């Protein structure tokens, strides 16, 4: 039985947050710890979205996602 996320977020909110994370990673020059946290958060959001929507997002190796 798949685990359900502890939060519920609409698809549009997920995309907005993923875009904000990408913008922050490219424009703000976060320190190592901040960058690692943002990359992990992006990965969690992508995984959660893919598990609930049938895999519409794919990790782009060029942008640091895993």
């Amino acid at each position: 039985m798949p685990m359900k996320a502890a939060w519920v977020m609409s698809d549009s909110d997920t995309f907005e947050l993923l875009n904000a994370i990408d913008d922050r990673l490219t424009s703000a020059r976060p320190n190592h710890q901040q960058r690692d946290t943002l990359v992990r958060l992006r990965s969690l959001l992508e995984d959660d979205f893919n598990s609930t929507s049938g895999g519409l997002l794919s990790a782009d190796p060029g942008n640091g996602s895993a």
Side-chain angles (χ1 to χ4, degrees), residues 27-54:
S27 66
R29 293 290 206 189
N31 67 36
H32 183 70
Q33 183 179 4
Q34 291 169 334
R35 184 183 187 292
D36 287 350
T37 301
L38 289 170
V39 168
R40 180 66 179 136
L41 177 58
R42 181 177 59 195
S43 177
L44 289 169
L45 288 168
E46 289 173 345
D47 289 349
D48 184 55
F49 183 81
N50 285 334
S51 70
T52 60
S53 67

Side-chain angles (χ1 to χ4, degrees), residues 2-35:
M3 289 183 56
K4 195 171 190 179
W7 66 89
V8 176
M9 186 180 275
S10 69
D11 291 353
S12 62
D13 288 343
T14 301
F15 283 120
E16 286 180 31
L17 186 52
L18 288 168
N19 286 332
I21 290 169
D22 286 339
D23 289 345
R24 178 71 183 216
L25 286 169
T26 58
S27 66
R29 293 290 206 189
N31 67 36
H32 183 70
Q33 183 179 4
Q34 291 169 334
R35 184 183 187 292

